[in-house]
Amino acid sequence: MRLVFAGTPEPAVPSLRALLASEEHEVVAVVTRPDAQAGRGRRVVRSPIGALADEHGIEVLTPPKASDPAFLARLAEIAPDACPVVAYGALLSQAALDIPAHGWVNLHFSLLPAWRGAAPVQAAIRAGDEITGASTFRIVKELDAGPVYGVITEQIAAGDTAGELLGRLAESGAKLLVSTMDGIADGTLRAVAQTGDGVSYAPKVTVEDARVSFADPAAAVDRQIRAVSPEPGAWAEFRGERLKLGPVTVVDEPGPPPGELVVERKRVLVGTASKPVRLGEVQAQGKKRMAATDWARGTRIEQGERLQ
């Protein structure tokens, strides 16, 4: 099939690579978010998908909106058979959805209808799910509600961060997306409507969502931090400034009151509503990331001080 691939961030790259390597399909163009400023120098850079397309000499479309008339006209000229999508990052207009004969087929990193929305991996970790996965489905106007072509499952390990889990799903999901395109092309695959049971939503995670509440039990604190690692990154306040927090370890022993710090020679503990957690790496404002014990020694934490 002639394909126009839509995607933007790094997790979409394995899928585009897999489709480019397929002998059954031809990626004739990609759609990605417009070039944006990044890094300390605020240089304008291509998205990871745009950069990969440039390497392969593939046309790159960067419409400000998917309803842009010039974009719709060019997409109609290309006349793709299908448009596979992985984390494109923008809403698709009905006019765009109507152009490819086999529609837009999204790879979504959850077992639909669970965790529809922008942050399914983060939501699964924070909720304490033991199993997640990826689904391919045909996009309709309702959010992530289209009929499903296929699924793969993935176990969530006890220490998984969102970044680690998403990395694995991006690789296994790429294979699912290619097999979905194969099945659509040869007519052996039919999409099945989603059930109305078990629907849950995973909205975009904000910086405020990443603020850790040590008034929660230790297991919830652990899951919250892992769910927002590496982006946007967990944090709490210490002495009125933001302190970024890496993943923690739940300690099976009595601890101090919620938020209170206990500094020992080889570890730094923080109290929660249940057991304490041991801090891993932290990053104070204007400083590099470092082991919590090194931070504590340099900061000279006084007895009774807390992470707020």
Side-chain angles (χ1 to χ4, degrees):
M1 291 194 298
R2 283 170 54 84
L3 305 178
V4 171
F5 181 88
T8 298
E10 194 64 37
V13 168
S15 287
L16 178 55
R17 287 194 188 278
L19 289 168
L20 289 170
S22 171
E23 296 181 356
E24 306 298 323
H25 310 289
E26 179 188 10
V27 180
V28 295
V30 304
V31 185
T32 191
R33 298 294 295 150
D35 299 352
Q37 291 182 334
R40 290 187 177 182
R42 309 307 294 166
R43 293 186 303 111
V44 176
V45 297
R46 207 53 138 177
S47 73
I49 286 298
L52 180 57
D54 289 340
E55 290 177 17
H56 288 265
I58 298 171
E59 181 178 358
V60 178
L61 306 174
T62 58
K65 294 183 178 180
S67 58
D68 178 67
F71 165 67
L72 294 175
R74 180 57 188 145
L75 190 63
E77 288 176 354
I78 295 172
D81 295 309
C83 294
V85 186
V86 185
Y88 171 45
L91 294 175
L92 296 167
S93 65
Q94 189 61 52
L97 294 177
D98 291 340
I99 290 175
H102 295 288
W104 296 65
V105 180
N106 191 33
L107 171 65
H108 183 76
F109 298 118
S110 82
L111 298 175
L112 292 170
W115 303 128
R116 296 175 180 176
V121 172
Q122 295 91 329
I125 291 176
R126 189 162 186 169
D129 293 353
E130 295 181 355
I131 299 291
T132 187
S135 309
T136 49
F137 70 96
R138 183 161 179 162
I139 295 178
V140 297
K141 288 298 291 182
E142 186 181 351
L143 179 65
D144 298 337
V148 173
Y149 286 103
V151 300
I152 51 101
T153 59
E154 178 76 30
Q155 185 170 356
I156 302 177
D160 268 342
T161 65
E164 292 164 345
L165 180 56
L166 183 56
R168 296 202 305 275
L169 288 171
E171 295 292 339
S172 57
K175 298 175 184 177
L176 172 64
L177 184 60
V178 172
S179 66
T180 298
M181 292 295 107
D182 292 346
I184 293 173
D186 64 23
T188 60
L189 191 59
R190 294 287 183 270
V192 177
Q194 292 185 41
T195 176
D197 298 328
V199 175
S200 53
Y201 292 94
K204 182 178 179 180
V205 177
T206 67
V207 172
E208 191 58 35
D209 292 330
R211 183 173 188 168
V212 179
S213 170
F214 290 99
D216 293 335
V221 170
D222 168 48
R223 293 197 304 263
Q224 180 189 6
I225 292 174
R226 289 188 289 110
V228 297
S229 297
E231 296 293 337
W235 62 280
E237 277 192 9
F238 180 72
R239 296 179 181 171
E241 294 187 343
R242 186 173 297 182
L243 180 72
K244 293 184 179 180
L245 306 172
V248 298
T249 303
V250 178
V251 179
D252 190 14
E253 61 185 59
E260 186 171 313
L261 290 157
V262 174
V263 179
E264 300 176 353
R265 191 168 67 89
K266 293 186 177 181
R267 63 181 188 173
V268 179
L269 303 180
V270 187
T272 74
S274 58
K275 303 171 183 177
V277 295
R278 177 178 178 175
L279 295 182
E281 290 188 328
V282 302
Q283 184 176 7
Q285 283 188 251
K287 304 289 185 180
K288 294 182 179 180
R289 185 174 288 268
M290 65 183 71
T293 49
D294 294 336
W295 165 75
R297 277 194 294 268
T299 305
R300 296 184 179 180
I301 295 170
E302 297 178 6
Q303 185 175 353
E305 285 196 285
R306 297 171 179 261
L307 294 182
Q308 302 292 338

